[in-house]
Amino acid sequence: MADRTSWWQRGVIYQIYPRSFMDASGDGVGDLRGIADRLDYLEWLGVEAVWISPFYPSPMADFGYDITDHTAVHPLFGDLEDFDALVEEAHRLGIRVLLDYVPCHTSAEHPWFVESRSARDNPKRDWYIWCDPAPDGGPPNNWVAMFGGAAWTFDEGTGQYYNHAHLVEQPDLNWRNRAVREAMLGVMRFWLERGVDGFRVDALRHLIKDEKLRDNPPNPDYRPGDRPFDALLPVYNTDRPEIHDAIREMRRLLDAYGDTTMVGELYLPIERLVAYYGENGSGVHLPANFHLISTPWNAREISALIDAYEGVLPPCAWPNWVLGNHDRSRVATRVGTAQARVAAMLLLTLRGTPTIYYGDEIGMHDVRIPPEGVQDPFEKQTPGLGYGRDPARTPMQWTPDRNAGFCPPAADPWLPLADDYRAVNVAAEREDPTSTLTLHRRLLALRRAEPALAVGSYEPVMAAGDLLAYAREHHGRRFLVALNLGHEPLSSEAPAFEGRVALSTRLDREGEEVVGGVLRLRGDEGVVIEGV
Ligand code: NOJ
């Protein structure tokens, strides 16, 4: 099987948030040259591919997810020459490059929207979703935007509302319009021709809305303090059946460029998520599975999640797992520093492609942002509710020097650095044989050396108390992964535990025999046991 799998199944994807990864130009914001300079680090770490969040021209209302030109580079990040150099260097090092593809919306300053809103009879009018006001003059229906507020904004000039699933500054494209599809497929083609290996597709569940624009029903489980978006069940503005047809077109295009991949951003329940693999695999290669982020961190619930997911995957569908991204609190903050190492072992030994969010490999935490320093529009629209995304987007910590080596000492980083950067940084952790970074590198090396851990079968073994144990097997090589999801030591006995410790999250038990099937784990410890 190892020989029949693709790179995007065997390898690990690493997400780079370009504003915060490495600043080569010295203006306090990361850039493409900065990324290119640090590719050797990613090669050393052992990742297969990078996914780079948007670096396109943008007024930055949503930090690059509001695009004015999908086929260019914002000067803040460099230019197309820098991009080409980055791809060339990545490929030289054997690293694939995935771009963020944002098909659902543009910036309100995109020339298409400027034209569209200029007059009702403008040829680009139908490129966006326009609708007359309701009889009372209000929005056409009750849809709520992701960051709060109505999903409709009134345009005084032409007397109609336009639809936006996110910010007012992010009008949604009308994917029912053939010309829009062609233009947006052309964007994919542009980057594929420049050598990229695939895309992460933004906000995919929002791509096409109900044709009749019906009202969403109320959410009976909504509690005060939940996101405003969750007050309604998004049945008519997300996850519509027509989306699959658009995905098939994207997929056909991608397939013409060889062994490429498409990761879909899809916050959906598992049963709905797996529909995005498409009939006979004609859909998204990896519908992103975010459920480790939202599932309570205990052995029973995590085990039930894995079983539920494995249980509904269609034949030939390849699983994937995510622990963090630029929209969610960091894993080390959610589960704690010590447990984050166990979480890393889980992520990197489950069946399926893992995505690592930049900085998680060194144990970065969320950083508290003072109210006057808030950048994120989500926090500005829902202040104090805890939805702000700046805390998980702070500069990468490279060295113990001022500004953590992210930007020159005299520069002013666009978001504050974590207080702990003098200890938690790449330079220090590279030298430390027991660091979180060393653990990640060892786990990645073990996955590469042992196909059982990358592409092998998955078998649940035990979920009792704080212990979660499962087996991975490939061509007769069998590994047992045992994770203590609690802080107290535990001991458990099972014939499956017989073997030799290949790796502990503490990095100090390698080679130890597990005799008589009696396994002892320290608090916050996980082990990979090589079967004998
Ligand atoms: C999902 C992206 O990950 C998020 O950062 C962005 O705000 C929305 N989509 C809108 O593009």
PDB file of all heavy atoms in Angstrom, residues 62 65 102 105 147 166 170 200 202-203 265 326-327 389 393, ligand 1:
ATOM      1  N   ASP A  62      -9.828  41.540   6.451  1.00  0.00           N
ATOM      2  CA  ASP A  62      -9.778  40.220   7.095  1.00  0.00           C
ATOM      3  C   ASP A  62      -8.395  39.609   6.884  1.00  0.00           C
ATOM      4  O   ASP A  62      -8.251  38.431   6.618  1.00  0.00           O
ATOM      5  CB  ASP A  62     -10.884  39.314   6.521  1.00  0.00           C
ATOM      6  CG  ASP A  62     -11.036  38.023   7.322  1.00  0.00           C
ATOM      7  OD1 ASP A  62     -10.553  37.977   8.475  1.00  0.00           O
ATOM      8  OD2 ASP A  62     -11.620  37.066   6.788  1.00  0.00           O
ATOM      9  N   TYR A  65      -7.891  37.590   3.613  1.00  0.00           N
ATOM     10  CA  TYR A  65      -9.004  36.786   3.093  1.00  0.00           C
ATOM     11  C   TYR A  65     -10.025  37.681   2.378  1.00  0.00           C
ATOM     12  O   TYR A  65     -11.114  37.229   2.028  1.00  0.00           O
ATOM     13  CB  TYR A  65      -9.654  35.956   4.215  1.00  0.00           C
ATOM     14  CG  TYR A  65      -8.798  34.752   4.586  1.00  0.00           C
ATOM     15  CD1 TYR A  65      -7.883  34.814   5.612  1.00  0.00           C
ATOM     16  CD2 TYR A  65      -8.885  33.567   3.855  1.00  0.00           C
ATOM     17  CE1 TYR A  65      -7.083  33.718   5.934  1.00  0.00           C
ATOM     18  CE2 TYR A  65      -8.083  32.470   4.167  1.00  0.00           C
ATOM     19  CZ  TYR A  65      -7.189  32.556   5.208  1.00  0.00           C
ATOM     20  OH  TYR A  65      -6.393  31.475   5.508  1.00  0.00           O
ATOM     21  N   VAL A 102      -9.401  31.259  -2.254  1.00  0.00           N
ATOM     22  CA  VAL A 102     -10.544  31.876  -1.588  1.00  0.00           C
ATOM     23  C   VAL A 102     -11.657  32.128  -2.624  1.00  0.00           C
ATOM     24  O   VAL A 102     -11.768  33.232  -3.165  1.00  0.00           O
ATOM     25  CB  VAL A 102     -10.117  33.186  -0.877  1.00  0.00           C
ATOM     26  CG1 VAL A 102     -11.259  33.767  -0.051  1.00  0.00           C
ATOM     27  CG2 VAL A 102      -8.906  32.945   0.016  1.00  0.00           C
ATOM     28  N   HIS A 105     -15.645  34.563  -1.763  1.00  0.00           N
ATOM     29  CA  HIS A 105     -15.857  36.013  -1.750  1.00  0.00           C
ATOM     30  C   HIS A 105     -14.622  36.740  -2.259  1.00  0.00           C
ATOM     31  O   HIS A 105     -13.549  36.152  -2.363  1.00  0.00           O
ATOM     32  CB  HIS A 105     -16.192  36.490  -0.332  1.00  0.00           C
ATOM     33  CG  HIS A 105     -15.270  35.895   0.697  1.00  0.00           C
ATOM     34  ND1 HIS A 105     -15.622  34.828   1.473  1.00  0.00           N
ATOM     35  CD2 HIS A 105     -14.008  36.194   1.054  1.00  0.00           C
ATOM     36  CE1 HIS A 105     -14.628  34.500   2.269  1.00  0.00           C
ATOM     37  NE2 HIS A 105     -13.619  35.315   2.039  1.00  0.00           N
ATOM     38  N   PHE A 147     -19.030  36.612  11.363  1.00  0.00           N
ATOM     39  CA  PHE A 147     -18.441  37.431  12.421  1.00  0.00           C
ATOM     40  C   PHE A 147     -19.491  38.273  13.144  1.00  0.00           C
ATOM     41  O   PHE A 147     -19.187  39.228  13.845  1.00  0.00           O
ATOM     42  CB  PHE A 147     -17.352  38.349  11.844  1.00  0.00           C
ATOM     43  CG  PHE A 147     -16.260  37.607  11.117  1.00  0.00           C
ATOM     44  CD1 PHE A 147     -15.777  38.039   9.899  1.00  0.00           C
ATOM     45  CD2 PHE A 147     -15.703  36.459  11.673  1.00  0.00           C
ATOM     46  CE1 PHE A 147     -14.770  37.359   9.237  1.00  0.00           C
ATOM     47  CE2 PHE A 147     -14.688  35.766  11.030  1.00  0.00           C
ATOM     48  CZ  PHE A 147     -14.229  36.214   9.793  1.00  0.00           C
ATOM     49  N   HIS A 166     -19.187  36.659   5.433  1.00  0.00           N
ATOM     50  CA  HIS A 166     -18.231  37.108   6.445  1.00  0.00           C
ATOM     51  C   HIS A 166     -18.395  38.618   6.654  1.00  0.00           C
ATOM     52  O   HIS A 166     -19.479  39.066   6.990  1.00  0.00           O
ATOM     53  CB  HIS A 166     -16.816  36.683   6.046  1.00  0.00           C
ATOM     54  CG  HIS A 166     -16.678  35.180   5.984  1.00  0.00           C
ATOM     55  ND1 HIS A 166     -17.025  34.454   4.869  1.00  0.00           N
ATOM     56  CD2 HIS A 166     -16.287  34.270   6.912  1.00  0.00           C
ATOM     57  CE1 HIS A 166     -16.836  33.150   5.109  1.00  0.00           C
ATOM     58  NE2 HIS A 166     -16.393  33.019   6.350  1.00  0.00           N
ATOM     59  N   GLN A 170     -16.461  41.786   2.464  1.00  0.00           N
ATOM     60  CA  GLN A 170     -16.199  40.534   1.731  1.00  0.00           C
ATOM     61  C   GLN A 170     -17.456  40.029   1.012  1.00  0.00           C
ATOM     62  O   GLN A 170     -18.049  39.024   1.417  1.00  0.00           O
ATOM     63  CB  GLN A 170     -15.704  39.450   2.703  1.00  0.00           C
ATOM     64  CG  GLN A 170     -14.290  39.688   3.235  1.00  0.00           C
ATOM     65  CD  GLN A 170     -13.969  38.800   4.420  1.00  0.00           C
ATOM     66  OE1 GLN A 170     -14.642  38.857   5.443  1.00  0.00           O
ATOM     67  NE2 GLN A 170     -12.945  37.984   4.299  1.00  0.00           N
ATOM     68  N   ARG A 200      -5.626  24.840  -0.334  1.00  0.00           N
ATOM     69  CA  ARG A 200      -6.556  24.733   0.787  1.00  0.00           C
ATOM     70  C   ARG A 200      -7.691  25.657   0.373  1.00  0.00           C
ATOM     71  O   ARG A 200      -7.463  26.823   0.021  1.00  0.00           O
ATOM     72  CB  ARG A 200      -5.856  25.190   2.064  1.00  0.00           C
ATOM     73  CG  ARG A 200      -6.758  25.294   3.293  1.00  0.00           C
ATOM     74  CD  ARG A 200      -7.306  26.691   3.425  1.00  0.00           C
ATOM     75  NE  ARG A 200      -7.948  26.878   4.729  1.00  0.00           N
ATOM     76  CZ  ARG A 200      -8.611  27.963   5.053  1.00  0.00           C
ATOM     77  NH1 ARG A 200      -8.705  28.978   4.201  1.00  0.00           N
ATOM     78  NH2 ARG A 200      -9.168  28.080   6.227  1.00  0.00           N
ATOM     79  N   ASP A 202     -10.823  27.869   0.952  1.00  0.00           N
ATOM     80  CA  ASP A 202     -11.400  28.631   2.063  1.00  0.00           C
ATOM     81  C   ASP A 202     -12.929  28.580   2.066  1.00  0.00           C
ATOM     82  O   ASP A 202     -13.566  28.629   1.000  1.00  0.00           O
ATOM     83  CB  ASP A 202     -10.953  30.098   1.911  1.00  0.00           C
ATOM     84  CG  ASP A 202     -11.391  30.968   3.062  1.00  0.00           C
ATOM     85  OD1 ASP A 202     -10.919  30.744   4.182  1.00  0.00           O
ATOM     86  OD2 ASP A 202     -12.231  31.872   2.834  1.00  0.00           O
ATOM     87  N   ALA A 203     -13.517  28.496   3.251  1.00  0.00           N
ATOM     88  CA  ALA A 203     -14.963  28.692   3.456  1.00  0.00           C
ATOM     89  C   ALA A 203     -15.829  27.897   2.482  1.00  0.00           C
ATOM     90  O   ALA A 203     -16.850  28.396   1.998  1.00  0.00           O
ATOM     91  CB  ALA A 203     -15.284  30.199   3.339  1.00  0.00           C
ATOM     92  N   GLU A 265     -11.752  23.661   3.573  1.00  0.00           N
ATOM     93  CA  GLU A 265     -12.094  24.163   4.909  1.00  0.00           C
ATOM     94  C   GLU A 265     -13.588  23.957   5.115  1.00  0.00           C
ATOM     95  O   GLU A 265     -14.413  24.628   4.478  1.00  0.00           O
ATOM     96  CB  GLU A 265     -11.764  25.647   5.059  1.00  0.00           C
ATOM     97  CG  GLU A 265     -11.879  26.061   6.516  1.00  0.00           C
ATOM     98  CD  GLU A 265     -12.329  27.489   6.777  1.00  0.00           C
ATOM     99  OE1 GLU A 265     -12.828  28.160   5.848  1.00  0.00           O
ATOM    100  OE2 GLU A 265     -12.194  27.940   7.912  1.00  0.00           O
ATOM    101  N   HIS A 326      -5.216  29.226  12.248  1.00  0.00           N
ATOM    102  CA  HIS A 326      -5.181  30.666  12.520  1.00  0.00           C
ATOM    103  C   HIS A 326      -6.539  31.213  12.973  1.00  0.00           C
ATOM    104  O   HIS A 326      -6.659  32.417  13.189  1.00  0.00           O
ATOM    105  CB  HIS A 326      -4.714  31.402  11.263  1.00  0.00           C
ATOM    106  CG  HIS A 326      -5.647  31.205  10.115  1.00  0.00           C
ATOM    107  ND1 HIS A 326      -5.856  29.975   9.524  1.00  0.00           N
ATOM    108  CD2 HIS A 326      -6.464  32.056   9.469  1.00  0.00           C
ATOM    109  CE1 HIS A 326      -6.744  30.092   8.575  1.00  0.00           C
ATOM    110  NE2 HIS A 326      -7.138  31.348   8.514  1.00  0.00           N
ATOM    111  N   ASP A 327      -7.545  30.353  13.058  1.00  0.00           N
ATOM    112  CA  ASP A 327      -8.882  30.799  13.484  1.00  0.00           C
ATOM    113  C   ASP A 327      -9.250  30.306  14.881  1.00  0.00           C
ATOM    114  O   ASP A 327     -10.325  30.654  15.383  1.00  0.00           O
ATOM    115  CB  ASP A 327      -9.942  30.281  12.504  1.00  0.00           C
ATOM    116  CG  ASP A 327      -9.780  30.866  11.116  1.00  0.00           C
ATOM    117  OD1 ASP A 327      -9.372  32.048  11.012  1.00  0.00           O
ATOM    118  OD2 ASP A 327     -10.056  30.153  10.138  1.00  0.00           O
ATOM    119  N   ARG A 389      -9.031  36.198  17.057  1.00  0.00           N
ATOM    120  CA  ARG A 389      -8.069  35.249  16.511  1.00  0.00           C
ATOM    121  C   ARG A 389      -6.625  35.731  16.579  1.00  0.00           C
ATOM    122  O   ARG A 389      -5.703  34.977  16.284  1.00  0.00           O
ATOM    123  CB  ARG A 389      -8.475  34.906  15.069  1.00  0.00           C
ATOM    124  CG  ARG A 389      -9.880  34.302  15.012  1.00  0.00           C
ATOM    125  CD  ARG A 389     -10.409  34.194  13.609  1.00  0.00           C
ATOM    126  NE  ARG A 389     -10.566  35.513  12.992  1.00  0.00           N
ATOM    127  CZ  ARG A 389     -10.906  35.705  11.721  1.00  0.00           C
ATOM    128  NH1 ARG A 389     -11.129  34.672  10.946  1.00  0.00           N
ATOM    129  NH2 ARG A 389     -11.036  36.930  11.241  1.00  0.00           N
ATOM    130  N   ARG A 393      -2.163  34.126  16.388  1.00  0.00           N
ATOM    131  CA  ARG A 393      -1.496  34.553  15.144  1.00  0.00           C
ATOM    132  C   ARG A 393      -0.220  35.332  15.412  1.00  0.00           C
ATOM    133  O   ARG A 393       0.249  36.077  14.555  1.00  0.00           O
ATOM    134  CB  ARG A 393      -2.459  35.432  14.331  1.00  0.00           C
ATOM    135  CG  ARG A 393      -3.696  34.704  13.844  1.00  0.00           C
ATOM    136  CD  ARG A 393      -4.664  35.641  13.139  1.00  0.00           C
ATOM    137  NE  ARG A 393      -5.782  34.901  12.567  1.00  0.00           N
ATOM    138  CZ  ARG A 393      -6.768  35.443  11.865  1.00  0.00           C
ATOM    139  NH1 ARG A 393      -6.775  36.759  11.646  1.00  0.00           N
ATOM    140  NH2 ARG A 393      -7.741  34.709  11.381  1.00  0.00           N
TER     141      ARG A 393
HETATM  142  C1  NOJ B   1     -11.808  31.028   6.881  1.00  0.00           C
HETATM  143  C2  NOJ B   1     -10.453  31.582   7.159  1.00  0.00           C
HETATM  144  O1  NOJ B   1      -9.666  30.582   7.740  1.00  0.00           O
HETATM  145  C3  NOJ B   1     -10.654  32.784   8.042  1.00  0.00           C
HETATM  146  O2  NOJ B   1      -9.456  33.253   8.581  1.00  0.00           O
HETATM  147  C4  NOJ B   1     -11.373  33.831   7.247  1.00  0.00           C
HETATM  148  O3  NOJ B   1     -11.690  34.920   8.089  1.00  0.00           O
HETATM  149  C5  NOJ B   1     -12.675  33.293   6.650  1.00  0.00           C
HETATM  150  N1  NOJ B   1     -12.547  31.977   6.107  1.00  0.00           N
HETATM  151  C6  NOJ B   1     -13.158  34.176   5.549  1.00  0.00           C
HETATM  152  O4  NOJ B   1     -12.364  34.043   4.419  1.00  0.00           O
END
